[in-house]
Amino acid sequence: MMNQNNQRKTELLAPAGSFETLKAVVNAGADAVYCAGNRFGARAYANNFTEEEMISAIDFMHLKGKKLYMTVNTLLKEAELEELYDYLVPYYETGLDAVIVQDLGVMRFVREHFPNLAIHASTQMTITGAYGADLLLKAGCNRIVTARELSLEEIGNIYQQTGAEIESFVHGALCYCYSGQCLLSSMIGGRSGNRGRCAQPCRLPYELFDKKQLAASAKKGNESYLLSPKDLCTIDLIPELIQHGVHSFKIEGRMKQAEYAAGVTSIYRYYIDKCEANPKATYEVSAKDHQKLWDLGNRCGFTDGYYKRHNGKEMITFASPSHEKKNEQLQQQVRETYVNVEQKEKIKGILILSKELPSKLVLKYKNVEIEVQGDVVQKAQKQPMSQETILDKMQKTGNTPFTFSSLEVEMEDDIFIPVGALNKLRRDGLEKLENHILTEYRRTVSENQVIEKITKPKKSAGATKWKPKLHVLVETPAQFSVVVRNQEVQRIYFDVFQTTTKDIQAAQQAGKEIYLALPYILRMNMVESLRKTIQKLEEIKPDGYLVRNFEEINFLQELEIKGSRIQTDYGIYVFSEEARRELADWNVEQFTMPVELNRGELLQLNNENSELIVYGHQPLMISAQCLHKNTTRCDKTPGIFYLKDRYGKLFPVKNNCTSCYNVIYNTSPLALFHHEKEIQRLAPKAVRVSFTIEKEHQIETVLEVCQKAFFEHKKIAPEEYFKDYTNGHFKRGVE
């Protein structure tokens, strides 16, 4: 599949965890860099830029005709969103080229208060197809950073269907989980990847057991680094990436050293230029350059990722996933060529010196030309000035970003001008040139952009009036048959591909709403199957749909399903009122409260149309990889497996074969029944109980406890009912 992407120049986008790295990757050929300020970036532990450094970095890039994108790609709490305006103003005014965002609230806020600032939808938004891309483009995003799991064909389809400016990762670390859908570090260690603090527990060893092994009390399962992908390297795929619509080639590595970032950038620069200079020529990467990429650093080797496969064990390290770099001679070469050098911008100058007239300096840089005048040139009383002396003084550009490629001197023979006057003329000229170049990037904040305070949300109904609905999510027909008999249950969520017309009729006859739970991930190859399934089930009108991603919101609206018939799941994050308002603008009325906010933070939201998950094994990872396939074989049979960590804890794993992804669940179920009084204060419209691996007797116990807590208002001691449970983040929250 080809497209007409050849008309625009491919952008090489490099990481910059420090100012040193930024300069190095620019020297190595980057067209743009992405970096973080001192807040709201997804690499909280990187050597991020201060405000002064960021402003200097923006100017540095613009003087070189390049771009700087700043990451604001974490989820922001309500109180933090109030601080975002003052944080962004100095960068906006300096001319920041774009912000990279994950949070719907941040996207809406930037769109409204910084209308001339481009918005790039982060890979953390999990855009896997044209439906999601189209939704975010219409919401004001200027660029889509695709999920790393997409194939070339899927990226090409997004480009063809939407014309989106597409940015995709081409080199560096890969996550095991779909970015933005990982709660593993958050739930087991309190360090949230959605807040830039991932502790990378996926890089630790695990054992995998099936049910038979557990039943037999097997001491050993398949043990290795099962969740640790190799590093991505797509140097051989450059022509195909361009042909399939990728505009910006993104190198991962804001936590890595300048030598790595610059070395990798230089090699990709060479092959992108080579490919674009002669697209019809045979494309081949030398063994020498392959070796250089290897020596600059890799994690147990390289993979070309998901671009030509859906998953596979050849993508996983299995061995200890240390990031190794070799060849100190290469490292030194990179330092000398790109890191420890300063590459100045070449300018042309004309100096005109005529007696009894002001001295004049004309400077030219690309399409910019300026002129400055200085002291009046005098007739020499003694020895006239030589052209050599004048050139020597005028060519000293010092710590400015410029150097002369040529400087012409037009002068009369018998003239004199003080050296100090020449120095001042040169300084004034270089300063005026720099200011002239940067002026076109400057912006001012208009009065209607200024905000005093974000409007506080309308509080939900008081605790005394609170009568929640009970919603229950089930994942198997056996669970459905138990739940549909329970009198207190008012809504059932059931997997769309497992639900039958008889199930819908059974729920309706029992007086219950039934919402069809859509896949956690929707890929291009599943769209038509999902469309046919929904069109068939719509004949008997299910009450609504539980959506897990942006693709499904747009997909359902194409089918004229919207408003109260859409309930978003926790993975469509509503961390702030701005995010809730954005969903409302999309005609989505119901949302699930985020699982990473604590009770105090949840209280800041308008929860009138929300539901709170009060029980369930929380999904920690949604992965395109399949643990069963990678350790044994693919038999296309759904099942439950168990990951065992180094502490002996077991994490249930389900392989969803219909949509081809794995879900890794938390080892302990969330249980908030003993927080009934605090949940009353939040007053969600509904509480949700989620069943994943529970058997019939366990389901009945949980529903009994739920009834006592929320409908009989009895005090619950969860340890009386559960051997093991977690409060999740309801009490502690995340940083």
Side-chain angles (χ1 to χ4, degrees):
M1 194 232 39
M2 307 282 286
N3 63 42
Q4 301 303 314
N5 194 36
N6 296 330
Q7 299 302 315
R8 76 187 163 186
K9 188 177 184 300
T10 301
E11 176 185 87
L12 180 56
L13 177 58
S18 68
F19 214 126
E20 178 191 43
T21 303
L22 180 142
K23 289 181 177 179
V25 295
V26 168
N27 291 341
D31 298 302
V33 300
Y34 65 102
C35 53
N38 54 19
R39 303 193 67 187
F40 311 134
R43 293 291 184 271
Y45 302 114
N47 184 24
N48 293 318
F49 289 57
T50 65
E51 181 179 310
E52 182 180 358
E53 287 175 331
M54 183 64 74
I55 290 172
S56 296
I58 294 169
D59 283 347
F60 176 86
M61 296 298 291
H62 288 163
L63 286 169
K64 292 183 174 294
K66 299 177 185 294
K67 295 181 179 181
L68 186 145
Y69 310 138
M70 190 172 76
T71 59
V72 189
N73 57 342
T74 57
L75 300 178
L76 269 63
K77 302 173 185 179
E78 182 71 17
E80 292 171 330
L81 202 56
E82 295 182 8
E83 302 165 8
L84 182 60
Y85 182 82
D86 289 339
Y87 175 72
L88 287 180
V89 163
Y91 309 136
Y92 178 79
E93 292 181 331
T94 303
L96 177 66
D97 295 286
V99 287
I100 306 170
V101 306
Q102 173 190 10
D103 190 308
L104 283 182
V106 173
M107 180 189 74
R108 178 186 175 88
F109 186 92
V110 171
R111 184 185 71 217
E112 293 190 352
H113 298 293
F114 301 97
N116 297 318
L117 181 57
I119 301 172
H120 295 178
S122 170
T123 191
Q124 293 280 117
M125 281 185 155
T126 326
I127 300 303
T128 56
Y131 282 106
D134 179 62
L135 184 69
L136 293 179
L137 290 172
K138 289 176 179 175
C141 289
N142 304 87
R143 176 181 290 189
I144 303 299
V145 186
T146 55
R148 280 176 263 211
E149 289 76 7
L150 297 194
S151 67
L152 289 169
E153 182 184 7
E154 288 171 307
I155 291 173
N157 182 259
I158 293 174
Y159 182 72
Q160 283 193 332
Q161 296 297 320
T162 69
E165 185 173 282
I166 292 175
E167 175 181 308
S168 298
F169 283 90
V170 297
H171 198 93
L174 286 172
C175 291
Y176 188 81
C177 181
Y178 281 93
S179 293
Q181 302 302 312
C182 183
L183 295 172
L184 183 62
S185 175
S186 175
M187 290 298 179
I188 69 176
R191 288 174 54 176
S192 170
N194 286 318
R195 301 274 295 162
R197 292 167 171 81
C198 180
Q200 296 194 332
C202 50
R203 302 298 182 184
L204 298 172
Y206 294 87
E207 292 178 77
L208 186 68
F209 294 85
D210 59 27
K211 285 185 176 181
K212 291 181 180 179
Q213 290 172 311
L214 280 185
S217 299
K219 293 184 179 180
K220 277 288 181 183
N222 288 299
E223 181 180 19
S224 62
Y225 293 83
L226 300 171
L227 309 182
S228 177
K230 297 175 182 177
D231 277 3
L232 177 67
C233 176
T234 66
I235 194 70
D236 295 305
L237 300 181
I238 285 177
E240 292 174 87
L241 287 162
I242 294 173
Q243 290 159 7
H244 284 81
V246 178
H247 165 64
S248 181
F249 281 33
K250 188 171 193 173
I251 297 168
E252 182 276 337
R254 279 195 290 132
M255 298 288 284
K256 296 189 175 84
Q257 294 177 333
E259 290 84 351
Y260 170 88
V264 171
T265 298
S266 68
I267 296 171
Y268 275 83
R269 175 78 280 154
Y270 173 78
Y271 283 100
I272 290 172
D273 290 348
K274 182 179 179 181
C275 180
E276 292 191 328
N278 191 357
K280 295 182 180 180
T282 301
Y283 179 82
E284 186 176 359
V285 179
S286 71
K288 180 181 178 181
D289 286 329
H290 274 125
Q291 187 63 46
K292 282 183 179 179
L293 288 170
W294 183 281
D295 289 344
L296 285 165
N298 66 86
R299 187 178 273 105
C300 299
F302 285 128
T303 172
D304 57 8
Y306 296 91
Y307 289 116
K308 293 197 170 185
R309 64 179 63 78
H310 186 81
N311 55 31
K313 62 183 179 181
E314 68 274 17
M315 297 177 63
I316 306 300
T317 67
F318 291 105
S320 180
S322 59
H323 194 272
E324 298 180 359
K325 61 180 181 181
K326 300 177 181 179
N327 192 342
E328 179 53 36
Q329 184 179 356
L330 175 61
Q331 300 286 327
Q332 183 61 32
Q333 180 186 346
V334 171
R335 280 192 288 271
E336 292 174 356
T337 308
Y338 305 116
V339 181
N340 298 331
V341 298
E342 183 177 13
Q343 293 182 0
K344 294 192 172 190
E345 297 305 295
K346 294 179 179 179
I347 60 175
K348 295 179 179 180
I350 302 174
L351 176 64
I352 303 172
L353 301 174
S354 301
K355 293 189 296 292
E356 309 303 327
L357 293 176
S359 54
K360 184 189 299 184
L361 178 63
V362 178
L363 297 177
K364 297 179 181 179
Y365 173 69
K366 295 182 179 178
N367 61 342
V368 176
E369 180 175 321
I370 62 97
E371 177 184 310
V372 290
Q373 292 186 353
D375 289 3
V376 173
V377 180
Q378 304 167 25
K379 178 178 174 61
Q381 297 299 317
K382 296 181 181 179
Q383 184 176 355
M385 297 186 76
S386 68
Q387 190 174 80
E388 291 75 16
T389 300
I390 292 171
L391 279 171
D392 179 63
K393 301 302 179 185
M394 292 300 293
Q395 287 180 329
K396 295 177 180 179
T397 55
N399 60 0
T400 71
F402 306 111
T403 186
F404 282 103
S405 63
S406 68
L407 177 59
E408 298 177 23
V409 180
E410 298 177 2
M411 58 180 286
E412 297 178 357
D413 293 336
D414 54 343
I415 64 161
F416 172 78
I417 185 169
V419 171
L422 286 176
N423 289 339
K424 184 177 185 303
L425 182 66
R426 184 195 65 240
R427 287 195 301 268
D428 290 348
L430 294 174
E431 182 180 351
K432 184 174 182 179
L433 178 62
E434 181 173 341
N435 290 337
H436 192 88
I437 295 168
L438 295 176
T439 296
E440 67 175 285
Y441 295 97
R442 300 291 190 243
R443 308 184 187 99
T444 56
V445 179
S446 61
E447 289 184 10
N448 62 354
Q449 288 174 256
V450 179
I451 60 169
E452 295 180 1
K453 204 79 170 177
I454 294 175
T455 305
K456 286 295 182 183
K458 176 184 174 183
K459 292 300 178 185
S460 302
T464 55
K465 299 179 182 179
W466 184 59
K467 293 182 180 179
K469 294 182 177 181
L470 176 58
H471 297 172
V472 178
L473 181 142
V474 298
E475 295 193 352
T476 67
Q479 292 171 345
F480 176 84
S481 65
V482 176
V483 169
V484 77
R485 298 195 302 264
N486 186 280
Q487 292 184 351
E488 296 294 340
V489 174
Q490 291 170 279
R491 179 186 293 178
I492 301 174
Y493 299 113
F494 193 19
D495 182 271
V496 66
F497 289 117
Q498 294 192 61
T499 305
T500 65
T501 54
K502 290 183 178 179
D503 294 327
I504 296 175
Q505 291 168 341
Q508 292 171 340
Q509 289 169 6
K512 305 183 187 310
E513 293 181 333
I514 183 162
Y515 274 53
L516 307 181
L518 301 189
Y520 282 101
I521 299 294
L522 180 62
R523 300 284 288 271
M524 185 178 75
N525 64 332
M526 293 302 302
V527 167
E528 287 310 309
S529 174
L530 181 60
R531 188 191 309 276
K532 290 177 182 178
T533 300
I534 289 177
Q535 287 173 340
K536 179 180 178 181
L537 295 175
E538 275 289 304
E539 293 175 3
I540 53 173
K541 279 291 179 189
D543 295 278
Y545 295 84
L546 180 67
V547 300
R548 269 71 179 262
N549 51 68
F550 297 133
E551 311 295 327
E552 291 164 355
I553 291 176
N554 207 8
F555 174 77
L556 288 179
Q557 292 186 342
E558 184 185 84
L559 298 176
E560 298 298 321
I561 298 168
K562 61 187 78 170
S564 61
R565 297 192 69 201
I566 294 181
Q567 167 83 49
T568 63
D569 207 350
Y570 71 93
I572 296 178
Y573 300 106
V574 181
F575 263 50
S576 65
E577 277 297 289
E578 287 289 280
R580 184 189 64 79
R581 292 186 186 111
E582 187 65 18
L583 286 179
D585 287 349
W586 294 352
N587 206 356
V588 175
E589 297 177 4
Q590 305 176 86
F591 70 95
T592 301
M593 297 166 78
V595 297
E596 291 190 288
L597 294 184
N598 64 33
R599 51 200 168 185
E601 292 158 347
L602 290 171
L603 197 59
Q604 297 298 308
L605 302 177
N606 182 340
N607 299 314
E608 288 179 330
N609 289 315
S610 72
E611 70 178 33
L612 176 69
I613 301 173
V614 296
Y615 173 86
H617 286 271
Q618 181 67 42
L620 301 184
M621 276 191 168
I622 315 296
S623 177
Q625 291 293 333
C626 180
L627 285 162
H628 178 51
K629 175 183 177 180
N630 287 352
T631 54
T632 53
R633 61 187 177 87
C634 176
D635 54 17
K636 292 183 170 55
T637 304
I640 299 177
F641 302 85
Y642 293 87
L643 270 180
K644 184 178 180 181
D645 69 8
R646 64 196 194 281
Y647 300 114
K649 292 185 177 181
L650 295 171
F651 296 82
V653 182
K654 281 190 176 182
N655 53 322
N656 184 315
C657 295
T658 305
S659 302
C660 199
Y661 59 74
N662 274 192
V663 182
I664 301 175
Y665 296 93
N666 202 359
T667 179
S668 305
L670 174 76
L672 300 180
F673 304 114
H674 52 305
H675 294 294
E676 187 263 348
K677 294 295 184 185
E678 292 160 305
I679 294 173
Q680 274 196 27
R681 290 182 63 210
L682 299 176
K685 186 176 182 178
V687 292
R688 188 211 296 182
V689 171
S690 297
F691 294 122
T692 50
I693 61 172
E694 288 81 0
K695 302 296 184 184
E696 180 176 347
H697 69 281
Q698 294 171 309
I699 293 173
E700 291 174 342
T701 297
V702 171
L703 292 176
E704 178 186 338
V705 175
C706 188
Q707 179 174 338
K708 288 180 179 179
F710 297 113
F711 301 102
E712 299 175 13
H713 303 290
K714 293 182 179 179
K715 189 173 182 179
I716 297 296
E719 57 271 11
E720 294 180 12
Y721 300 92
F722 309 111
K723 293 181 180 179
D724 182 32
Y725 73 94
T726 176
N727 290 302
H729 288 301
F730 190 74
K731 293 176 68 175
R732 65 184 181 186
V734 294
E735 279 188 71

